[in-house]
Amino acid sequence: MNGEGFELSEVSRVPDDLTEDLSPPRLVGMKRFFLEAFLAAGLPGIRTTLLAARDPSGKLLGAFALSRMEVELDCIAGPSLQTAAAAVRRLHPGFLKLQLLMFGLPASMADHEAVLAPDVAPKLGERLRRAAVARSLEIVESEGLSACVWKEFDAQARERWAPALESGGLTWFPSLPVSAQTVTWTTPAAYEESLRSSYRRQLRANAARASEKGLSIELDCDFAPHAAEFHAFYLEVLERSSTRLETLSAAFFTALAADRRIRYVRATLGGHHVGGALCYVAKPDVLLFLYVGMRHAVQREVDLYFNLLKGVVDMAALHGVRELRWGQTSADAKGRMGARLVPLWFAMRLRRPVVHRAVRSLGGLLFPVRGQLERRVFK
């Protein structure tokens, strides 16, 4: 024990007592099935473990996911800076690249992968957070890594974690916001009727054009039979993404399919699978839009992405959830469905103080605040 009445240990497998009740419904990244899929996936260049906190009796008090990986510091910067950095890397491959300790999963979940047992008292919770932050800094020093990052925090989580992170010298930066909305419709028709007339006309026109060309959207499919073909479409989307932390493997998606809460919106054209949207449904609380995969040529032909987003909207009604969380990409397209941006932050400390001061001064360029065109989608 460390004198605080608990012990922190790094483990490479999911503890047997990391149960569902330790994490809220939307925190899919700390559900056993998701963690086991991620740890077993063998992602290139990423090593993920867990930091487990236990009391003297061995009871699990909390768990924190951590990942060692290489990250380009400009990965969420604006397009012009990314283009400039890529040009420099052609001459200097290591430019703005960090050997990083990330507390969380590099899986774009728009949440922080840290949980405490529900009966942990507030003062003990604060000591656990401070101890985990201190351990993260120790790992960075002992392994000679470039930086430590804790992600992603909404306003409420940031307030809860600020004392621990700021006492460790970490600085807050804006991350990519998450698109989210309250589900007020109970059927697809009710959603359409709730839209303002201009958005309703556009939705119906897009759907009609796609249908005329033979596009079919199937809701709420079991994912297992389609995991392999989806992975190929996921990679096609990833190739065109401006923000990439990880490349998920076919094994990861196959493992996810074992949990019935993973549901699939499947698109076919001319009898062929051309893409889909992968979702996690925790009824009655939330539907999380996890990943999308598409044939690029078909996306242009039938506005496939829009029609998959509409399929997710319809599936939220089908399952009667209260909230729809869309993720951190394509905010404008999701804004057209009625979503609003929720700000998120991450905290970072560079091991070398001079580099940390430089990054802090350039924070506005490297990590710009993202806005959203204000849309009146609903009546």
Side-chain angles (χ1 to χ4, degrees):
M1 295 297 151
N2 63 0
E4 293 278 4
F6 56 83
E7 182 178 32
L8 291 175
S9 59
E10 189 173 352
V11 297
S12 58
R13 61 180 296 274
V14 182
D16 292 337
D17 48 357
L18 183 61
T19 54
E20 288 273 334
D21 63 329
L22 289 182
S23 54
R26 84 178 195 197
L27 187 48
V28 64
M30 289 301 281
K31 302 298 182 187
R32 168 175 293 279
F33 82 95
F34 195 96
L35 279 172
E36 289 180 339
F38 198 87
L39 268 61
L43 305 186
I46 298 173
R47 182 164 71 91
T48 297
T49 59
L50 290 169
L51 193 64
R54 296 187 180 277
D55 71 8
S57 71
K59 177 188 174 183
L60 185 67
L61 300 175
F64 314 87
L66 60 154
S67 301
R68 292 163 174 87
M69 58 189 297
E70 183 177 78
V71 170
E72 295 173 352
L73 194 56
D74 57 294
C75 64
I76 62 172
S80 58
L81 184 56
Q82 286 190 348
T83 300
V88 174
R89 284 192 195 101
R90 286 194 284 270
L91 298 175
H92 304 283
F95 179 67
L96 289 184
K97 288 187 177 181
L98 301 179
Q99 298 300 320
L100 190 70
L101 178 70
M102 173 187 287
F103 265 65
L105 299 178
S108 308
M109 294 292 98
D111 220 322
H112 62 287
E113 285 76 36
V115 295
L116 299 181
D119 58 348
V120 166
K123 289 184 178 180
L124 176 56
E126 181 60 25
R127 295 202 305 273
L128 287 166
R129 286 188 287 270
R130 287 178 182 269
V133 171
R135 179 63 61 86
S136 71
L137 300 176
E138 291 171 5
I139 293 172
V140 168
E141 286 293 335
S142 65
E143 298 183 11
L145 302 176
S146 306
C148 177
V149 166
W150 285 75
K151 64 90 181 174
E152 309 266 4
F153 298 90
D154 61 19
Q156 185 178 15
R158 176 178 173 175
E159 182 178 1
R160 184 167 60 250
W161 277 84
L165 290 165
E166 292 171 9
S167 68
L170 284 85
T171 299
W172 292 104
F173 296 98
S175 187
L176 295 175
V178 60
S179 296
Q181 66 191 106
T182 301
V183 177
T184 58
W185 56 96
T186 55
T187 65
Y191 171 79
E192 292 186 21
E193 288 303 318
S194 71
L195 300 176
R196 297 180 68 207
S197 58
S198 58
Y199 287 93
R200 187 167 60 253
R201 283 195 302 271
Q202 186 64 54
L203 183 150
R204 289 174 175 171
N206 283 2
R209 283 196 300 270
S211 179
E212 288 172 3
K213 293 185 177 183
L215 182 70
S216 174
I217 301 294
E218 185 180 359
L219 302 182
D220 202 32
C221 301
D222 289 335
F223 180 53
H226 313 298
E229 60 185 4
F230 173 79
H231 181 247
F233 298 135
Y234 156 82
L235 292 177
E236 193 166 339
V237 171
L238 197 65
E239 287 175 0
R240 292 170 172 80
S241 174
S242 60
T243 304
R244 183 196 300 192
L245 288 179
E246 79 290 338
T247 300
L248 299 169
S249 65
F252 169 75
F253 289 112
T254 298
L256 280 193
D259 195 285
R260 294 282 297 173
R261 291 170 294 185
I262 296 295
R263 309 306 297 165
Y264 191 45
V265 177
R266 186 173 190 254
T268 57
L269 184 66
H272 298 287
H273 181 205
V274 294
L278 194 62
C279 301
Y280 167 75
V281 181
K283 295 190 289 188
D285 298 280
V286 65
L287 184 151
L288 302 181
F289 177 29
L290 298 178
Y291 306 105
V292 68
M294 297 181 295
R295 282 187 57 194
H296 184 63
V298 174
Q299 152 62 10
R300 293 180 175 180
E301 181 183 352
V302 296
D303 201 356
L304 180 56
Y305 189 56
F306 174 88
N307 283 284
L308 286 172
L309 294 185
K310 177 56 168 58
V312 173
V313 164
D314 293 347
M315 196 158 69
L318 178 67
H319 286 286
V321 298
R322 292 188 287 262
E323 183 185 15
L324 175 51
R325 288 178 69 85
W326 288 102
Q328 293 173 277
T329 59
S330 306
D332 184 65
K334 294 162 184 175
R336 292 175 183 273
M337 310 307 292
R340 292 288 181 264
L341 292 182
V342 178
L344 298 175
W345 294 265
F346 67 92
M348 180 167 64
R349 176 174 162 179
L350 284 296
R351 182 166 59 90
R352 296 174 58 190
V354 64
V355 180
H356 183 80
R357 289 193 294 270
V359 170
R360 186 169 55 192
S361 67
L362 294 172
L365 289 174
L366 291 169
F367 315 115
V369 176
R370 307 300 175 105
Q372 181 181 42
L373 180 64
E374 192 64 31
R375 299 184 183 279
R376 290 181 57 203
V377 174
F378 297 105
K379 293 177 182 176

